């Protein structure tokens, strides 16, 4: 660690394992599933209190309205929790962005509600890795820097949203707003158990396609009917045929139908697209519209599509590569071998990168089995990852950017 300056050493020495661990234990005891509005409100209040140790303006931002298509084809507004926004030194020339999410995938009635020690280093529990552990790491790193002269060299904003696990539909506009003018961003999704970070990410689009046909008796006059389920199945097959290298298409569910003696007049196809590039996203969108028009004619049905590409592809451009190199260099000085790999998963890092801001989005704890009741946190990664963040942030600040 000879290349770490005395000032940086002082920052790193302030990071404390027990404080982070106690925060995680407290936060993970609160169910904050994406649809649990009381739990999210409680979590937001706890986080606002925790982040008050920073010299910050702290506020709660109301969620943007968002609609989903129900099984009957009607569109319904969905309620989401408020998002926590923390602003520090907004007038500083250099501005950074840090993001995390308070929601988990575990609903209020899920049986996975408590933490369990699997051994002295492995903590199992809802959100311990994804990402209440990451939030603790973020706060620890920033608090340590705030107690140094380096703090005055930069300003920053923090967003902890309430809907990341469902695609950030009510916070996407807020992410874009906060990303404006930022030199770089760090997001605190968990790293893999061996510390590998996510690099390039594909995008993701979710669509609900409603098909309305014409009902008829399946025995007396079937030809007078327009079979919506058959049209949905045909549509799913044609969309699936778009799959190729760099583009995954997953027709996931058909809802609708009728009794066996009735030609079904209603169906909804739910489908997910995963394009690795913007070119493939454009290809998928264009072809999807073409196929839908053909389905309308072929099956003589009405079709209404709802949804979109909420997570744009996240390639590694020159600015992102520069940020990854800086993080890798900080890891080397801390004795950590930083590696990264492409992934098909998506997160708020996709949205940030789409704004032209370089981002490393797996700066959180080492852990695994996320989105399952086997989710775990390796607690020896708390200090390690907080130091990695603190050193990276400090060096960006000292350089005045990347």
């Amino acid at each position: 660690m000879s290349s770490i300056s005395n000032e940086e050493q002082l920052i790193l020495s302030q990071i404390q394992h027990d404080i982070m661990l106690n925060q995680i234990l407290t936060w993970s005891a609160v169910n904050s599933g994406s649809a649990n509005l009381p739990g999210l409100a409680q979590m937001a209040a706890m986080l606002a209190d925790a982040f008050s140790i920073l010299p910050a303006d702290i506020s709660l931002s109301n969620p943007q309205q968002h609609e989903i298509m129900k099984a009957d084809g009607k569109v319904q507004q969905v309620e989401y929790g408020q998002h926590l926004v923390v602003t520090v030194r907004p007038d500083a020339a250099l501005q950074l962005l840090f993001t995390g999410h308070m929601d988990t995938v575990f609903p209020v009635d899920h049986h996975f509600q408590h933490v369990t020690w699997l051994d002295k280093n492995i903590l199992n529990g809802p959100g311990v890795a994804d990402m209440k552990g990451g939030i603790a790491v973020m706060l620890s790193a920033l608090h340590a820097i705030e107690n140094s002269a380096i703090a005055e060299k930069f300003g920053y904003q923090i967003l902890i949203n309430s809907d990341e696990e469902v695609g950030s539909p009510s916070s996407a506009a807020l992410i874009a707003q906060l990303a404006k003018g930022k030199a770089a961003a760090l997001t605190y999704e968990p790293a893999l158990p061996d510390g590998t970070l996510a690099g390039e990410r594909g995008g993701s689009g979710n669509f609900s396609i409603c098909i309305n046909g014409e009902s008829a008796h399946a025995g007396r006059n079937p030809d007078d009917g327009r079979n919506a389920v058959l049209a949905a199945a045909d549509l799913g097959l044609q969309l699936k045929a778009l799959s190729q290298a760099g583009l995954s298409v997953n027709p996931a569910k058909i809802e609708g139908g009728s009794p066996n003696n009735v030609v079904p007049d209603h169906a909804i196809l739910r489908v997910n697209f995963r394009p690795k590039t913007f070119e493939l996203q454009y290809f998928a969108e264009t072809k999807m519209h073409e196929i839908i028009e053909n389905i309308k004619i072929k099956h003589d049905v009405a079709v209404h599509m709802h949804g979109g590409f909420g997570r744009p592809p996240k390639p590694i451009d020159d600015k992102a590569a520069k940020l990854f190199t800086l993080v890798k260099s900080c890891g080397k000085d801390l004795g950590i071998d930083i590696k990264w790999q492409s992934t098909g998963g998506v997160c708020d890092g996709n949205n940030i990168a789409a704004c032209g801001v370089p981002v490393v989005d797996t700066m959180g704890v080492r852990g695994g089995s996320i989105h399952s009741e086997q989710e775990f946190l390796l607690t020896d990664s708390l200090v390690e990852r907080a130091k990695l963040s603190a050193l990276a942030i400090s060096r960006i600040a000292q350089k005045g950017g990347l």
Side-chain angles (χ1 to χ4, degrees):
M1 295 170 62
S2 57
S3 59
I4 297 178
S5 69
N6 289 337
E7 191 167 29
E8 290 169 342
Q9 291 276 21
L10 182 60
I11 291 171
L12 300 181
S13 70
Q14 297 180 64
I15 291 170
Q16 298 181 44
H17 173 275
D18 289 353
I19 291 177
M20 287 183 280
L21 180 59
N22 287 335
Q23 287 172 334
I24 295 164
L25 292 172
T26 300
W27 296 341
S28 295
V30 177
N31 178 283
S32 56
S34 304
N36 181 8
L37 298 185
L40 288 167
Q42 182 182 357
M43 194 70 232
M46 294 170 72
L47 291 173
D49 181 64
F51 277 81
S52 67
I53 63 173
L54 302 177
D57 174 65
I58 299 175
S59 63
L60 290 172
S61 177
N62 290 329
Q64 186 180 38
Q65 291 187 341
H66 176 68
E67 296 176 335
I68 61 168
M69 181 181 285
K70 299 193 298 179
D72 61 4
K74 295 180 180 178
V75 174
Q76 173 183 297
Q77 292 241 345
V78 181
E79 291 188 55
Y80 297 97
Q82 291 182 305
H83 314 300
L84 184 73
V85 178
V86 179
T87 302
V88 177
R89 292 182 295 277
D91 296 326
L94 175 66
Q95 292 290 323
L96 303 178
L97 175 64
F98 306 100
T99 70
H101 63 85
M102 68 182 81
D103 63 325
T104 72
V105 300
F106 306 104
V108 68
D109 58 352
H110 197 283
H111 67 269
F112 187 46
Q113 301 285 351
H114 305 288
V115 298
T116 304
W117 286 98
L118 303 182
D119 67 27
K120 64 179 182 180
N121 185 46
I122 304 177
L123 182 64
N124 162 246
V128 292
D130 186 23
M131 66 161 31
K132 292 171 183 179
I135 295 171
V137 164
M138 177 206 300
L139 178 56
S140 178
L142 289 171
H143 186 228
I145 293 171
E146 286 297 340
N147 292 321
S148 76
I150 291 174
E152 296 304 318
K153 298 180 182 293
F154 74 110
Y156 55 93
Q157 288 186 294
I158 300 166
L159 169 64
I160 303 179
N161 56 3
S162 68
D163 63 344
E164 192 278 339
E165 293 292 11
V166 290
S168 306
S170 76
S171 60
L174 182 58
I175 293 170
Q177 174 190 328
L178 297 181
K180 289 180 181 177
K182 301 301 191 291
L186 299 177
T187 295
Y188 287 79
E189 295 290 345
L192 294 177
D194 67 356
T196 299
L197 308 181
E200 181 182 58
R201 291 183 184 269
S204 179
N206 290 298
F207 296 86
S208 298
I209 305 171
C210 180
I211 300 172
N212 291 309
E214 186 74 31
S215 63
H217 194 285
R220 290 184 177 183
N221 59 328
D223 292 338
D224 291 339
R226 300 293 181 265
N227 193 314
V229 170
L230 183 62
D234 190 5
L235 176 58
L237 288 170
Q238 291 192 47
L239 291 177
K240 179 60 179 177
L242 298 177
S243 296
Q244 57 184 278
L247 175 63
S248 170
V249 184
N250 183 45
K253 189 176 186 180
I254 293 178
E255 296 171 288
S258 60
N260 283 1
N261 62 348
V262 177
V263 175
D265 64 353
H266 171 77
I268 294 178
L269 173 68
R270 314 279 187 180
V271 59
N272 174 256
F273 293 83
R274 298 277 175 149
K276 284 192 174 180
T277 66
F278 285 99
E279 292 77 13
L280 285 169
Q281 177 177 314
Y282 177 76
F283 167 80
E285 287 178 304
T286 302
K287 287 296 183 181
M288 178 167 50
H289 286 290
E290 289 179 6
I291 291 170
I292 286 174
E293 289 305 312
N294 290 335
I295 289 291
K296 288 180 181 178
I297 297 169
K298 179 180 177 181
H299 294 272
D300 191 19
V301 293
V303 181
H304 171 65
M305 183 174 68
H306 186 273
F309 283 90
R311 302 291 197 194
K314 181 195 151 207
I316 300 298
D317 59 16
D318 290 344
K319 290 192 296 183
K322 202 168 183 179
L323 179 57
F324 270 97
T325 299
L326 183 145
V327 172
K328 184 176 180 66
S329 174
C330 292
K332 182 179 179 181
D333 289 344
L334 291 166
I336 308 168
D337 183 19
I338 298 294
K339 299 176 182 177
W340 55 86
Q341 65 183 38
S342 298
T343 175
V346 293
C347 72
D348 287 337
N350 291 69
N351 301 65
I352 294 168
C355 297
V357 178
V359 57
V360 176
D361 54 31
T362 38
M363 293 296 288
V365 298
R366 287 187 284 111
S369 299
I370 61 172
H371 297 186
S372 80
E373 56 195 84
Q374 286 76 46
E375 178 177 353
F376 68 91
L377 155 69
L378 299 174
T379 58
D380 63 357
S381 69
L382 292 173
V383 170
E384 168 195 299
R385 294 286 141 165
K387 286 184 175 181
L388 179 65
S389 273
L391 193 56
I393 296 164
S394 297
R395 290 185 176 175
I396 294 170
Q398 290 176 84
K399 290 171 63 179
L402 296 179

